[in-house]
Amino acid sequence: MKKILFVASEGVPFIKTGGLADVVGSLPKYFDKKEYDVRVVIPKYACMDRSFLPNLKFLCHFYVNLNWRRQYVGIFESEYHGVHFYFVDNEFYFAGESPYNNIYEDVEKFAYFSKAVLASLPYIDFAPDIIHCNDWQTGLIPVFLHTVFGDDNFYAGIKTVFTIHNLQFQGRWRIQEIMDITGLPAHIFNAYELESYGEANYLKGGVVYADYITTVSPTYANEITTVEGGEGLSGLMTARKDRLYGILNGIDYEEYNPQTDPYISVNYSKKDAVSGKKENKAALQKELGLPVREDAFLIGIVSRMTSQKGFDLIGCVLDELLTEMDIQLVVLGTGEEKYENMFRHFAWKYPDRVSANIYYSEDMSHKIYASCDAFLMPSLFEPCGLSQLMSLRYGTVPIVRETGGLKDTVEPYNEYESTGTGFSFANYNAHEMMNTINYAKHVFYNNKREWNKIVDRGMLKDFSWTSSAKKYQKLYDNLLGY
Ligand code: ADP
Ligand code: GLC
């Protein structure tokens, strides 16, 4: 049995701020359980879904040193859908309304978390063959493993995989303070290890010290080796290219299933998608106070509101797009105030065409995936993107920019050959996006048969974890010399 410990800062169903949580909560279910014992460890945040608290079992506690600090570590555990989860408990670090606060608090929080996870292994009696780390919050795990835990026999031979879900977030802070927080040896804060642009960089540490690096789509794996996509680290990514793999994310096909989804008004399958979606659309329009119009071209957005997601393009052309009465836009998301206010403004200006829902809601997100005709995701960059996969699963046609995982998962419609699962444009340009939306709208209105075939082909695609989980298994096997 190969033992894998998955470490991350969030995981469904306990705590989620974005796609990372979806991956952490679903991928581990899909490994071959006869060969791989995959367990997950996340922090026990005060803001986690409290309904799970009664199911968490206290396992043990101990103390960990972070330089001159001596901090409490409690370990809880729980089984969820056949996966073993551990939770690191410390009420000082994991208080607060959200998993992430200020960067200067977060660098200490996640240095603590990384060291606590490694220190917990003998206590929880799990000696992993591989520790699979995710994003900058866990970047110090490979670093601690090879430095401060380097002389301890228990840790000898543990391999590490580091997955980049988003290179934009690197966990950068002043070197002196990171030395003080972590107690890591001064000599590793150099340009080949932890230092980057004069600061300490957790993600860089993970990339330098891990045995394998992966990211969440093949196109993004290429993009991060370029100056345009490398977020300042293209040189490092190029240097590690022989160890860098792009493995496409999947989604949980049990959780996101229009046939059984409890959140949506009417369940439907591929066979009755046209009528099923029609009923969901009417219900959503009614619920959100939009005119209940079957003929309106209903576009959905479910997203963190950050510049990554292409909202600047939308801001540029929404007035132009909405001059005609035939488009309705439903938005669900929270994030940067300027984008939240932008959508509030458009909802105020066009109350019969725009519904701005500035909050987080699992229910509403499922309703949008099920009810809309099209789903808009014009990202500036997108490591993988899960929302477009959810849309495809629910027969909602994605309109995307050709970047990262969007390029790998949405096949553009070709009217001459009648192929494709969505609509896409290449350049980060507002009018290019608008023309693509208008083209999609044209097909929707004037060629319903073709439109329905696009829906059909999208629903036929398989973006479950089945094939990607096998790729991770192969990577693990490779690393372990099988
Ligand atoms: P990212 O991780 O960059 O935010 P992804 O497309 O990979 O983008 O994943 C986003 C996930 O977060 C999806 O599951 C999406 O449905 C969910 N999501 C984003 N915003 C909201 C919201 N306001 N309410 C509910 N779910 C949301
Ligand atoms: C990040 C990326 C997103 C990806 C998700 C899960 O949040 O922004 O593209 O799908 O991680 O890997």
Side-chain angles (χ1 to χ4, degrees):
M1 186 68 95
K2 298 155 209 166
K3 286 182 276 180
I4 319 289
L5 187 66
F6 227 80
V7 193
S9 56
E10 50 182 278
V12 158
F14 306 102
I15 178 83
K16 165 169 167 179
T17 72
L20 169 64
D22 289 308
V23 172
V24 173
S26 54
L27 169 59
K29 286 201 260 181
Y30 293 90
F31 287 103
D32 178 354
K33 296 217 166 47
K34 290 192 288 298
E35 269 195 70
Y36 302 85
D37 181 358
V38 182
R39 305 188 185 186
V40 182
V41 51
I42 59 175
K44 182 172 173 289
Y45 297 107
C47 60
M48 71 181 268
D49 186 335
R50 304 192 74 78
S51 64
F52 291 101
L53 287 182
N55 305 332
L56 306 196
K57 209 176 89 212
F58 177 77
L59 199 60
C60 62
H61 83 278
F62 57 93
Y63 287 81
V64 72
N65 295 328
L66 276 170
N67 204 2
W68 49 270
R69 299 164 191 80
R70 191 170 159 72
Q71 304 291 26
Y72 171 86
V73 183
I75 303 286
F76 285 75
E77 65 177 346
S78 181
E79 185 105 353
Y80 188 79
H81 288 178
V83 179
H84 203 115
F85 281 84
Y86 296 103
F87 302 81
V88 174
D89 176 38
N90 179 301
E91 292 185 358
F92 168 66
Y93 287 120
F94 302 133
E97 280 169 22
S98 120
Y100 316 116
N101 309 99
N102 303 310
I103 183 70
Y104 58 86
E105 287 174 28
D106 288 352
V107 284
E108 181 171 332
K109 181 193 299 178
F110 292 109
Y112 159 81
F113 177 59
S114 297
K115 196 154 183 205
V117 167
L118 285 168
S120 73
L121 300 178
Y123 292 95
I124 63 175
D125 198 22
F126 187 65
D129 298 298
I130 296 174
I131 303 180
H132 189 149
C133 308
N134 294 276
D135 274 353
W136 76 264
Q137 292 87 352
T138 58
L140 289 188
I141 289 182
V143 182
F144 279 129
L145 181 68
H146 291 291
T147 52
V148 291
F149 290 87
D151 296 332
D152 188 330
N153 261 341
F154 180 90
Y155 296 89
I158 297 182
K159 305 277 189 207
T160 49
V161 174
F162 184 78
T163 295
I164 300 169
H165 296 263
N166 194 335
L167 189 58
Q168 191 176 45
F169 304 112
Q170 299 178 2
R172 289 160 55 162
W173 196 244
R174 293 183 204 114
I175 288 179
Q176 279 308 325
E177 284 175 43
I178 299 301
M179 277 186 193
D180 176 75
I181 288 169
T182 59
L184 282 165
H187 68 83
I188 69 169
F189 290 83
N190 67 63
Y192 297 99
E193 293 170 89
L194 279 197
E195 187 269 347
S196 169
Y197 300 97
E199 293 182 305
N201 185 316
Y202 283 29
L203 180 133
K204 180 170 178 178
V207 170
V208 170
Y209 276 83
D211 295 297
Y212 281 150
I213 303 125
T214 75
T215 187
V216 288
S217 71
T219 294
Y220 193 62
N222 262 321
E223 287 171 350
I224 59 177
T225 63
T226 67
V227 174
E228 296 75 26
E231 304 282 352
L233 296 181
S234 58
L236 172 68
M237 296 304 160
T238 307
R240 295 293 273 149
K241 210 170 172 173
D242 60 329
R243 294 271 169 155
L244 170 65
Y245 300 88
I247 301 179
L248 203 61
N249 283 335
I251 55 169
D252 194 331
Y253 265 39
E254 288 160 29
E255 183 76 27
Y256 292 93
N257 182 355
Q259 281 181 273
T260 54
D261 193 326
Y263 295 132
I264 66 179
S265 304
V266 179
N267 290 114
Y268 58 93
S269 67
K270 209 174 79 55
K271 279 199 221 104
D272 58 357
V274 173
S275 62
K277 287 186 68 64
K278 225 177 255 174
E279 285 187 57
N280 279 293
K281 180 171 171 177
L284 184 72
Q285 287 168 323
K286 185 156 177 253
E287 180 175 349
L288 298 179
L290 289 170
V292 179
R293 283 179 45 196
E294 193 187 313
D295 65 316
F297 184 47
L298 183 60
I299 302 177
I301 293 177
V302 177
S303 183
R304 284 185 297 118
M305 294 206 175
T306 70
S307 58
Q308 172 190 339
K309 302 295 178 177
F311 291 120
D312 293 314
L313 299 188
I314 298 174
C316 272
V317 292
L318 205 56
D319 275 315
E320 249 176 284
L321 262 173
L322 293 175
T323 45
E324 289 168 54
M325 295 295 291
D326 48 8
I327 288 184
Q328 289 182 349
L329 178 68
V330 172
V331 182
L332 173 67
T334 59
E336 282 176 43
E337 226 171 75
K338 66 171 173 179
Y339 299 122
E340 294 185 347
N341 288 337
M342 177 180 102
F343 285 115
R344 285 191 185 107
H345 166 78
F346 283 119
W348 165 81
K349 194 167 171 188
Y350 304 101
D352 56 344
R353 273 161 280 175
V354 178
S355 165
N357 304 280
I358 311 301
Y359 52 82
Y360 187 92
S361 159
E362 208 63 45
D363 300 26
M364 185 49 77
S365 72
H366 285 237
K367 285 180 188 166
I368 293 175
Y369 293 126
S371 310
C372 291
D373 299 301
F375 190 87
L376 181 60
M377 213 166 160
S379 304
L380 174 60
F381 70 92
E382 197 61 72
C384 179
L386 302 175
S387 293
Q388 82 280 16
L389 305 182
M390 293 160 186
S391 302
L392 288 167
R393 174 87 166 135
Y394 284 80
T396 299
V397 176
I399 302 175
V400 303
R401 191 169 92 81
E402 290 154 17
T403 182
L406 296 174
K407 190 169 172 184
D408 293 337
T409 55
V410 178
E411 188 195 333
Y413 171 56
N414 179 326
E415 62 183 28
Y416 304 103
E417 291 170 7
S418 192
T419 55
T421 57
F423 292 82
S424 65
F425 60 101
N427 297 301
Y428 193 70
N429 174 299
H431 282 91
E432 223 174 291
M433 176 189 77
M434 192 176 89
N435 292 340
T436 308
I437 296 173
N438 281 332
Y439 176 40
K441 191 178 80 178
H442 163 77
V443 178
F444 176 80
Y445 278 117
N446 303 318
N447 205 340
K448 220 16 152 294
R449 220 174 96 86
E450 274 296 289
W451 181 268
N452 290 337
K453 283 205 248 167
I454 301 173
V455 171
D456 243 28
R457 285 192 292 268
M459 290 184 88
L460 268 178
K461 287 273 170 196
D462 182 1
F463 290 109
S464 66
W465 276 109
T466 322
S467 92
S468 295
K470 287 206 178 85
K471 290 187 182 148
Y472 280 110
Q473 289 181 183
K474 209 166 150 212
L475 188 89
Y476 294 157
D477 287 355
N478 239 320
L479 187 52
L480 297 175
Y482 286 100

